[in-house]
């Protein structure tokens, strides 16, 4: 922590996923507090915004109780996010469209808010703090309720007005199941955690609570689990091969809930990807180092970036520059906890 300027100060970070919400208080070096809440997406987007607001207020109150000043809030959400306009443009999993989310949360909480994309935030955190430190061409893939990627090319995040990184909507089976986006046979319909759980239940007639249970059954040799997992791995490797041809990453970092399966996922993905590549650059495929906290830590980094930009007089927006952060923010922010 930088003495004086940041002493007694923190930011609030919030990662809104299709299944759960992860929140934290962070100073420049430590996770000071964390909170987790379910995302009430079945109740509709307004209910989700209400829970986001309640969580931010609770974290702000906790900061006040500990004598901390909240400098800024970083909120990251799934789907199409326009960081320049601070709009949550579209999310198939949550259901909102063209929502001025940052402005809405600022009115409700009286705190300045930086809005970002959950997976791009996770990619930032992995590049600054995690498995991709030192790499300049990275594809960070988060596999959970949905699937999306953060693209880092020559050390810079590729945003394309919020459109970049929709790996989950690469078509892997033109005759496949209909996707929530309106398309058919998207990667998400085969390899997301939700799709794997549903496919196993349909194939075996036995309900499971999540894809982690399917992964455990794969390790036990369950034939139905192996078949479902094999199809998901094949689809993921196919999409990664396409991304490798287009982007030439040196490193693919797999994150999100499904990556918790470890080598049960990594080993077959590496093998299937290698089979598909000929002349292309062959990326290393590794597991994310920050687990399911990557997006939340990235939201905190976004918030501190915005604080620093405002201090320099550059305005509060999310930086478009290299992911390598300078100054105290580039240290061990968010790694420790107290």
């Amino acid at each position: 922590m930088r003495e004086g300027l940041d002493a007694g100060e923190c930011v609030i970070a919030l990662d809104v996923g299709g299944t759960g919400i992860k929140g934290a208080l962070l100073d420049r070096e430590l996770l000071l507090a964390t909170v987790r809440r379910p995302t009430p997406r079945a109740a509709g987007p307004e209910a989700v915004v209400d829970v986001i607001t309640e969580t931010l207020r609770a974290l702000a109150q906790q900061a006040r109780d500990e004598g901390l000043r909240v400098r800024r809030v970083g909120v990251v959400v799934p789907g199409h996010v326009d960081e320049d306009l601070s709009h949550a443009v579209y999310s198939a999993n949550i259901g909102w469209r063209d929502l001025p989310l940052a402005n809405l949360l600022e009115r409700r909480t009286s705190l300045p808010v930086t809005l970002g994309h959950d997976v791009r935030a996770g990619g930032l955190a992995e590049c600054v703090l995690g498995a991709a430190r030192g790499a300049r061409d990275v594809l960070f893939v988060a596999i959970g309720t949905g699937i999306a990627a953060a693209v880092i090319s020559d050390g810079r995040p590729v945003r394309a007005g919020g459109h970049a990184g929709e790996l989950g909507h690469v078509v892997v089976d033109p005759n496949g199941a209909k996707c929530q986006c309106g398309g058919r046979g998207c990667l998400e319909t085969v390899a997301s955690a939700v799709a794997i759980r549903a496919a196993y239940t349909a194939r075996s007639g036995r309900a499971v609570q999540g894809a982690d249970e399917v992964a455990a059954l794969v390790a036990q040799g369950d034939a139905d689990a192996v078949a479902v997992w094999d199809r998901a791995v094949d689809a993921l490797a196919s999409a990664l091969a396409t991304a490798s041809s287009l982007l030439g990453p040196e490193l693919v970092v797999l994150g999100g809930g499904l990556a918790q399966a470890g080598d049960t996922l990594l080993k077959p993905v590496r093998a299937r990807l290698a089979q598909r590549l000929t002349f292309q650059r062959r990326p290393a495929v590794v597991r994310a180092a920050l687990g399911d906290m990557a997006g939340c830590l990235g939201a905190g980094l976004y918030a501190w970036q915005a604080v620093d930009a405002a201090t320099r007089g550059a305005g509060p927006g999310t930086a478009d520059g290299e992911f390598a952060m300078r100054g105290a923010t580039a240290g061990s922010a968010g790694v420790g906890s107290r």
Side-chain angles (χ1 to χ4, degrees):
M1 182 188 295
R2 293 186 292 187
E3 294 297 328
L5 178 62
D6 297 326
E9 297 183 334
C10 68
V11 296
I12 295 174
L14 207 68
D15 175 13
V16 182
T19 302
I21 295 172
K22 293 174 281 288
L25 295 177
L26 303 95
D27 67 10
R28 292 282 187 175
E29 296 176 347
L30 298 173
L31 268 172
L32 305 176
T34 60
V35 64
R36 291 175 183 253
R37 295 184 176 177
T39 304
R41 62 183 182 130
E46 290 185 10
V48 175
V49 174
D50 288 342
V51 171
I52 294 171
T53 302
E54 292 165 8
T55 305
L56 292 179
R57 287 173 175 166
L59 285 166
Q61 184 59 54
Q62 185 170 352
R64 288 191 292 270
D65 291 345
E66 296 191 17
L68 298 170
R69 176 193 173 201
V70 177
R71 292 294 305 275
R72 195 166 189 90
V73 173
V75 176
V76 297
V77 299
H80 177 193
V81 180
D82 189 324
E83 288 97 338
D84 293 330
L85 294 178
S86 295
H87 276 211
V89 179
Y90 173 69
S91 170
N93 287 319
I94 295 179
W96 51 42
R97 289 180 179 271
D98 199 27
L99 181 68
L101 185 57
N103 183 265
L104 179 61
L105 295 175
E106 286 180 345
R107 293 201 309 268
R108 290 189 177 192
T109 66
S110 299
L111 293 167
V113 175
T114 293
L115 183 68
H117 184 260
D118 58 348
V119 178
R120 283 194 286 276
L124 167 63
E126 289 291 343
C127 285
V128 174
L129 306 168
R133 281 178 293 181
R136 293 183 60 80
D137 298 299
V138 180
L139 187 69
F140 170 72
V141 183
I143 312 171
T145 307
I147 300 175
V151 180
I152 298 90
S153 181
D154 290 330
R156 295 177 179 273
V158 178
R159 288 169 48 192
H163 292 278
E166 290 293 349
L167 189 70
H169 298 287
V170 169
V171 175
V172 294
D173 182 1
N175 299 313
K178 190 170 182 179
C179 181
Q180 285 184 302
C181 74
R184 187 171 291 278
C186 296
L187 179 63
E188 278 190 11
T189 68
V190 179
S192 69
V194 170
I196 289 171
R197 181 190 66 195
Y200 179 79
T201 299
R203 182 183 179 94
S204 69
R206 300 186 297 274
V208 291
Q209 295 301 309
D212 56 338
E213 292 185 40
V214 180
L217 289 167
V218 169
Q220 296 169 21
D222 180 285
D224 291 319
V226 169
V228 168
W229 197 261
D230 186 70
R231 182 168 182 258
V233 164
D234 205 55
L236 180 58
S238 179
L240 291 177
T242 298
S244 295
S245 295
L246 289 172
L247 303 169
E250 63 187 292
L251 184 66
V252 172
V253 180
L254 299 184
L258 204 66
Q260 302 306 307
D263 282 346
T264 302
L265 179 68
L266 292 171
K267 284 186 175 180
V269 167
R270 288 172 183 144
R272 304 284 178 87
L273 178 59
Q275 290 170 0
R276 285 168 168 78
L277 299 180
T278 54
F279 68 91
Q280 299 93 335
R281 186 186 207 177
R282 296 195 172 210
V285 180
V286 302
R287 179 179 169 184
L290 303 176
D292 68 353
M293 284 299 291
C296 188
L297 291 170
L301 292 173
Y302 278 161
W304 278 121
Q305 280 183 333
V307 169
D308 292 341
T311 301
R312 295 193 303 269
T318 301
D320 255 339
E322 297 199 4
F323 270 174
M325 298 171 67
R326 298 168 175 80
T329 313
S332 58
V335 173
S337 61
R338 93 174 173 196

